[in-house]
Amino acid sequence: MARADSPKIPPKPSTSGPGSFHGSQFEFFAQTGYAQAMDAMPVWMYPRTQKEFSPCYPEGATNADGTSPNPGTDIPVSASPGEDCMNVGTDLNGPYTLGSPFPIYIRASWCAGLSEWRIQFYNFYVHDGSLSELRHKHDWEGIMVQWKQDPEGEWWHRSGAVYNKHCMHDSYTWDQLNTVDVDVPGITDVTKEKAGLNKKHPKAYVGFSSHASFPEIITERKTIFNGACPDQRDLLGKEYRSND
């Protein structure tokens, strides 16, 4: 909900699509109620290799009252990266089952080099899932949605997204992404695995071990990622992720 001190947003011109937002909504991100962030919130898809082997699930980056940072945990030497992490949920019945709620950290930033606004969506994990010497506490991962200017100049529309993979990132145009409209009553298109639909919410498939974000599913390689970044980009790109 917009605050009393938020700027007045002018009527949207007919030439701007329903998914466009006024520039002031980025400049005064908090005051205007984070509307475009909610409208473009990713759908996070977390994998399990087996029912008992879950990924490390995101949780809050602070303690319960927000007065100190989450201390994180040491990564266990285990086939299940989710040990010592938040419970992913107790009523998991296969693909597309809703997991437990978790916080998502958002920020709007201006990218001068590309003349675009970006909204960052980041998740915090108490540790990653690697079994190599690269394993660590406190893992931040996520994606950024890019917004380009409409021809009218004051309004901005989704143009693409950047998927983060530790020290690497990959950019995609909006029509290359698997997008859904899960917030529309009566529509359950989250199960669709198809790019080019140009809907509101991008799917983000999370790597089983590294928490890297990917725009597509890949299940033929059921292994965790132990490679060095960026020396083994190809290995990271094949990391197991699914719709379970």
Side-chain angles (χ1 to χ4, degrees), residues 168 221 225 230-239 241:
M168 301 177 285
R221 185 188 177 100
F225 173 64
D231 299 334
Q232 297 184 358
R233 169 182 276 271
D234 183 61
L235 178 61
L236 175 58
K238 295 177 181 177
E239 184 177 12
R241 60 260 192 192

Side-chain angles (χ1 to χ4, degrees), residues 65-204:
D65 59 9
T67 58
S68 62
N70 187 323
T73 62
D74 291 321
I75 180 172
V77 180
S78 168
S80 181
E83 288 191 20
D84 300 327
C85 297
M86 177 178 168
N87 190 342
V88 68
T90 57
D91 189 25
L92 300 178
N93 299 307
Y96 308 108
T97 301
L98 286 175
S100 302
F102 56 86
I104 299 172
Y105 296 86
I106 58 177
R107 183 177 73 170
S109 57
W110 170 248
C111 182
L114 295 175
S115 297
E116 66 182 23
W117 282 101
R118 292 185 174 187
I119 297 182
Q120 298 168 307
F121 299 90
Y122 274 87
N123 300 329
F124 172 81
Y125 307 86
V126 293
H127 60 64
D128 73 350
S130 173
L131 294 180
S132 75
E133 66 280 1
L134 301 176
R135 60 184 181 270
H136 57 84
K137 294 182 179 182
H138 307 132
D139 199 23
W140 286 94
E141 302 289 347
I143 76 171
M144 293 183 286
V145 173
Q146 301 162 283
W147 302 75
K148 289 289 190 183
Q149 204 168 25
D150 285 356
E152 288 74 16
E154 294 186 347
W155 295 82
W156 300 74
H157 63 274
R158 301 162 179 81
S159 61
V162 179
Y163 284 66
N164 293 329
K165 304 173 178 66
H166 289 293
C167 56
M168 301 177 285
H169 63 271
D170 292 308
S171 299
Y172 303 88
T173 60
W174 201 252
D175 60 1
Q176 290 178 314
L177 297 176
N178 187 337
T179 53
V180 297
D181 279 342
V182 295
D183 55 345
V184 177
I187 294 180
T188 56
D189 58 356
V190 69
T191 61
K192 293 181 180 178
E193 305 290 347
K194 183 179 180 180
L197 298 178
N198 292 310
K199 296 191 175 184
K200 288 185 176 182
H201 305 276
K203 281 189 178 182

